[in-house]
Amino acid sequence: MDGPVFVVVLVAISTVGWLLNNWIRARHGYPVENEWKGQTAKSDPAAERQIELLSSENERLTGQISRLEERLSVLERIATDPAERTAREIDALR
């Protein structure tokens, strides 16, 4: 092969590979690379809203879990403490 033809073939193979890679990524919903190796993500308002809803639900559930852990620790303390001391503490609260 001549030198210039070899260079043109290499550029063509690289370009076809880049196009094929981006086509596969776009088809499966992954961010697409642009010419300078940056990534261009599709902006989907429904997906962004879903992420916001899931984040807020995650925060709510995290708070709920921490409250349940506190209650569980109190119940464990009551179950493992001697009955006499627990009775004294209950009487002290009255």
Side-chain angles (χ1 to χ4, degrees), residues 58-68:
N58 188 20
E59 290 175 11
R60 182 184 64 80
L61 291 174
T62 301
Q64 186 177 5
I65 287 173
S66 64
R67 288 189 305 274
L68 288 173

Side-chain angles (χ1 to χ4, degrees), residues 2-74:
D2 292 325
V5 173
F6 183 71
V7 172
V8 169
V9 169
L10 281 178
V11 170
I13 290 173
S14 297
T15 303
V16 169
W18 178 78
L19 289 172
L20 183 64
N21 179 38
N22 280 342
W23 177 75
I24 291 171
R25 292 176 67 86
R27 183 172 180 181
H28 294 288
Y30 292 103
V32 179
E33 293 179 359
N34 64 19
E35 301 85 34
W36 297 281
K37 297 293 180 188
Q39 292 191 347
T40 307
K42 290 191 231 178
S43 65
D44 185 9
E48 291 175 11
R49 177 69 179 147
Q50 184 70 19
I51 290 170
E52 288 177 20
L53 290 172
L54 289 173
S55 297
S56 65
E57 183 180 7
N58 188 20
E59 290 175 11
R60 182 184 64 80
L61 291 174
T62 301
Q64 186 177 5
I65 287 173
S66 64
R67 288 189 305 274
L68 288 173
E69 286 175 342
E70 290 173 10
R71 293 179 71 183
L72 181 62
S73 67
V74 169

Side-chain angles (χ1 to χ4, degrees), residues 75-86:
L75 291 174
E76 286 175 344
R77 187 175 52 86
I78 290 171
T80 58
D81 278 352
E84 183 181 314
R85 184 170 42 169
T86 306

